[in-house]
Amino acid sequence: MISFEEADTEETITCLHMTFYHPCQNDQMFSCLNFCRREQVRADEVAKFGRDSNVCHYNLMDTRVSRIQFSLQFYRKLNSSECCFEIKNMSKKTKLMVDQTELGYLNKIDLPWKCIILFGDYQILAETQEGVSMDYFETYFHLSEVPILQERCLPSRQPVPETGISSPSFPSQGKNPTEIDENEPWYTGEGGWSGF
């Protein structure tokens, strides 16, 4: 029998939490994703998301989604023990937004530790929980009933009168210029960020 002191240390596994939202989500659209259950993936596998079940490990049952929409590659940074993910847009017809970065076909970037991924009407909140294992990583999917962008409480760009009380219908809106900090990025609400 191995004593407590001699037992192997259990390695923690990096886990990628992904919360999905689509305004027309139904039972079919996400039927191939296993929600609220950790799924282990080998570190040398590329996790592909799309509608082609022969190629993609994670299927989105929607004809508006590309055969392969995007991929995630787990890797270890050079001269470091830190493990990360890289995201690559695999769609020729749809741009992929990762926070404020737009990715065209075959463009890739490091996935930030916490970010929002957008394509079409899909919104995905991705959060990486750090681990030390280099053999596997885990995915853990969640489904959101409300839009991720709404849930993140992005700042409203409605003017606030000098009284400090914001009104949903500000009578002078559209007649006078609205004062906005030009150095602060803001979301236009039409699928893009402005102010950069």
Side-chain angles (χ1 to χ4, degrees):
M1 182 172 208
I2 298 173
S3 72
F4 176 74
E5 291 86 13
E6 296 171 353
D8 287 336
T9 303
E10 189 176 321
E11 280 188 315
T12 57
I13 297 175
T14 300
C15 185
L16 181 61
H17 293 264
M18 298 180 84
T19 304
F20 290 79
Y21 174 80
H22 189 280
C24 301
Q25 61 196 28
N26 56 41
D27 294 336
Q28 284 297 101
M29 186 174 288
F30 297 121
S31 63
C32 294
L33 298 181
N34 294 318
F35 289 105
C36 300
R37 191 172 69 98
R38 289 179 183 262
E39 189 172 324
Q40 202 170 74
V41 182
R42 286 181 23 171
D44 59 352
E45 287 184 27
V46 176
K48 294 178 184 170
F49 292 75
R51 82 179 138 80
D52 188 342
S53 60
N54 295 320
V55 178
C56 298
H57 189 74
Y58 301 107
N59 297 55
L60 301 171
M61 306 304 290
D62 183 348
T63 55
R64 294 166 294 193
V65 172
S66 294
R67 283 183 54 250
I68 306 172
Q69 190 71 47
F70 66 93
S71 66
L72 292 168
Q73 175 75 56
F74 184 67
Y75 75 97
R76 186 171 61 96
K77 288 191 173 185
L78 187 64
N79 301 321
S80 170
S81 61
E82 183 182 358
C83 291
C84 306
F85 291 94
E86 170 182 271
I87 185 167
K88 182 193 293 185
N89 185 9
M90 300 296 291
S91 173
K92 291 181 180 178
K93 62 181 181 178
T94 307
K95 300 247 187 265
L96 187 73
M97 292 293 295
V98 180
D99 283 339
Q100 294 92 18
T101 305
E102 184 178 278
L103 301 178
Y105 178 58
L106 296 181
N107 290 149
K108 64 181 182 177
I109 61 167
D110 284 351
L111 189 69
W113 288 103
K114 186 173 186 176
C115 65
I116 295 179
I117 302 166
L118 304 171
F119 60 93
D121 289 330
Y122 286 84
Q123 300 175 15
I124 305 168
L125 173 64
E127 300 174 273
T128 305
Q129 181 182 349
E130 194 173 4
V132 294
S133 174
M134 290 190 220
D135 299 322
Y136 296 93
F137 68 91
E138 292 179 334
T139 57
Y140 193 42
F141 298 144
H142 312 270
L143 186 61
S144 178
E145 297 297 323
V146 296
I148 305 293
L149 295 173
Q150 177 183 322
E151 199 173 83
R152 289 280 303 259
C153 299
L154 291 173
S156 168
R157 288 296 166 189
Q158 192 172 41
V160 178
E162 289 185 17
T163 61
I165 300 168
S166 181
S167 167
S169 56
F170 194 62
S172 66
Q173 188 172 356
K175 296 178 184 172
N176 296 328
T178 303
E179 197 170 310
I180 296 175
D181 182 358
E182 64 190 36
N183 296 323
E184 185 176 313
W186 50 281
Y187 188 73
T188 64
E190 298 171 9
W193 289 89
S194 229
F196 290 100

